[in-house]
């Protein structure tokens, strides 16, 4: 196996993979248990321990057979994925087609530690529309190391909403590469709740005028969880907007990481980039590392970035309590309000409702 | 309604209240006036349960129960309401949602049925109208981007909806123009009955032209140094607090 990246690499400075390299992972076992599936009325792909389950999956008109993957240069996790890749979805939405939505569920049952390396491909033709809701979940110890390859052609809109609620012993690493053509949009939101250690890495290329990337995320972590959201947005054409709102809520001894790089090529005049990362520390032992990076070679651009790290405002807590709202509820209301800005761009009702529901149950756990 | 007996309170090492004794009977409105630094705001925070204040002596009986032992939310459920001098902004929290959560939390604690969204909105819209507020008030985030006057009106809206038995108005008049002042006064006056009392904390006599108190107390140096009828406020306006601080 290709070596796991170490903290000597700048891009991996804040995420230490030694807990991952300390374990030895076998091949995925055959899944026996019949899982509970989310009740969303959409065509679905269900992967159990990394294998597509034909009984639990429904047909989807735009699904193609799994295709041999290309490789992604130097990204180390993608290289490991390419060595071991076993399967994945391959979706092609034809030109002008509004394909509605589909659900991608990846469930794992790690009675003994195992790893799986799915490779997914989503391609939208010109003017097409598609929403993919992805849910990663499971029990026990396992490692999911996924790669997503995304192409959004001129004027197409791809909404990609992810709920990562893996087992607390699991590892989840994902690398997403998105090529976005002129006038097209890639709207991404990840809600990270699970895994002992996770990293979502997105590389988005804005290749034509008015291409848009939304890379938003919220992570709610407790215990000794580690969650990393790392993005690179490459503005390679003029007049492209990019938006990033990343909110982290960290309890216990949890550690959050956000690394956001915006590269603006010389020809990418009138770039409009916005990046905001905010963390709420609910305990004195929680930690957040934020690294914004702007690399700008054009001279007429608007790029703003900001970062804040703080605790809940006790004045606000008291104000709510003085109006009869119990302290635990008051804190919950304020945390939910803190997340609002990241959730706001999730305009798809069923996805939004799913996220709301799992957030509700997160409060219950704390 | 409220009996404060020999109340002493400190912040850190500084003793701010040095034996406040005060009784507000049912249905009465009392005003507390006094110079800056007299302990007026401390009194309101101690009564409503804000952290950071240590009560070292005395008690405050609210309908016979010592509220100083209660959590702030339980004081609210018992019928205490503090109108803040500086209402707090809550970005990301809608005003209507906040008001309904608050009302229902109080109703739940009192063993009453919660109001559904429709019943609540009906009630809230009526209250908004009565306070001459714009309807979009309910849709905005709590106090975010509100002018000083709007924030104070929002406090009055909360009071109108929560219908407390005792309201403490902590310098609610500061920074208000005459129109806003009248609205605040009307907010208090419409609640005036046998089951409602109020403690109006103010630096100036002006508000008391519109909310006529049954009694006026002067707080100076952490103690009530003088009490009298409404006319005392006018007297203080003319003579100032200077002579009283030494008392």
């Amino acid at each position: 196996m290709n070596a796991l990246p170490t903290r000597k690499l700048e891009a991996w400075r804040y995420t230490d993979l030694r807990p991952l390299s300390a374990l030895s992972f076998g091949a995925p076992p055959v899944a026996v248990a019949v899982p509970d599936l989310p009740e969303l009325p959409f065509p679905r792909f269900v992967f159990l321990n990394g294998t597509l389950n034909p009984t639990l999956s429904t047909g989807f008109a735009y699904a193609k057979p799994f295709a041999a993957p290309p490789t992604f240069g130097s990204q180390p996790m993608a290289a490991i994925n390419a060595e071991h890749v076993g399967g994945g979805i391959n979706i092609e939405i034809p030109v002008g087609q509004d394909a509605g939505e589909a659900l991608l569920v990846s469930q794992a049952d790690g009675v003994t530690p195992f790893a799986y390396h799915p490779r997914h491909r989503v391609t939208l033709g010109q003017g097409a529309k598609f929403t993919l809701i992805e849910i990663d979940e499971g029990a026990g110890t396992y490692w999911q190391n996924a790669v997503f390859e995304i192409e959004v052609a001129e004027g197409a809109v791809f909404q990609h909403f992810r709920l990562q609620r893996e087992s607390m012993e699991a590892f989840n690493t994902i690398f997403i590469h998105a090529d976005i053509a002129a006038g097209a949009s890639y709207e991404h939101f990840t809600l990270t709740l699970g895994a002992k250690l996770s990293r979502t890495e997105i590389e988005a290329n804005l290749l034509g005028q008015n291409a848009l990337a939304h890379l938003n995320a919220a992570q709610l972590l407790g215990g000794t969880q580690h969650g990393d959201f790392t993005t690179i947005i490459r503005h390679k054409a003029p007049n492209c907007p990019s938006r990033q709102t990343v909110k982290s809520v960290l309890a216990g001894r949890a550690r959050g990481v956000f690394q956001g790089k915006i590269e603006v090529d010389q020809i990418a005049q009138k770039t409009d980039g916005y990046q905001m990362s905010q963390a709420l520390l609910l305990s004195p032992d929680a930690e957040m590392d934020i690294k914004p990076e702007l690399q700008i070679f054009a001279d007429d651009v608007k790029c703003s970035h900001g970062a804040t790290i703080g605790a809940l405002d006790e004045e606000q807590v008291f104000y709510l309590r003085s109006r009869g709202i119990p302290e635990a509820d008051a804190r919950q209301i304020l945390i939910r309000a803190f997340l609002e800005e990241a959730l706001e761009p999730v305009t798809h009702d069923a996805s939004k409702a799913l996220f709301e529901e799992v957030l509700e149950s997160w409060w219950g756990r704390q | 309604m409220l009996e404060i007996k020999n109340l002493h309170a400190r912040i850190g090492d500084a003793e701010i209240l040095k034996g406040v004794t005060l009784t507000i009977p049912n249905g009465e409105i009392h005003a507390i006036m006094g110079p800056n630094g007299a302990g007026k705001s401390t009194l309101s925070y101690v009564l409503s349960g804000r952290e950071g204040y240590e009560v070292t002596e005395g008690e405050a009986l609210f309908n016979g129960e010592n509220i100083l032992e209660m959590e702030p939310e339980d004081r609210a459920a018992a019928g205490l309401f503090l109108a803040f001098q500086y209402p707090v902004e809550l970005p990301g929290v809608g005003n209507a949602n906040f008001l309904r959560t608050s009302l229902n939390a109080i109703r739940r604690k009192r063993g009453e049925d919660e109001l559904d969204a429709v019943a609540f909105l009906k009630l809230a819209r009526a209250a908004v109208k009565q306070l001459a507020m714009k309807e979009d008030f309910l849709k905005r985030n709590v106090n975010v981007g509100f002018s000083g006057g709007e924030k104070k009106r929002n406090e009055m809206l909360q009071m109108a909806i929560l219908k407390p038995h005792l309201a403490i108005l902590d310098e609610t008049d500061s920074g208000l123009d005459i129109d806003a002042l009248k609205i605040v006064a009307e907010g208090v006056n419409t609640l005036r009955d046998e089951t409602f009392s109020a403690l109006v904390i103010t630096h100036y006599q002006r508000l008391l032209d519109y909310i006529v108190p049954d009694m006026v107390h002067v707080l100076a140096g952490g103690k009530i140094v003088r009490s009298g009828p409404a006319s005392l406020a006018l007297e203080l306006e003319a003579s100032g607090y200077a002579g009283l601080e030494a008392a």
Side-chain angles (χ1 to χ4, degrees), chain B residues 151-170:
Chain B
K151 284 181 180 171
K152 299 295 170 73
R153 282 189 205 198
N154 207 25
E155 297 290 287
M156 291 303 102
L157 175 65
Q158 292 166 35
M159 190 173 79
I161 286 172
L162 300 180
K163 295 207 179 351
H165 296 303
L166 175 70
I168 302 170
L169 276 69
D170 186 5

Side-chain angles (χ1 to χ4, degrees), chain A residues 146-160:
Chain A
V147 168
F148 248 96
E149 188 198 352
I150 293 162
E151 263 182 68
V152 194
E154 284 79 8
V157 178
F158 179 36
Q159 295 184 316
H160 186 190

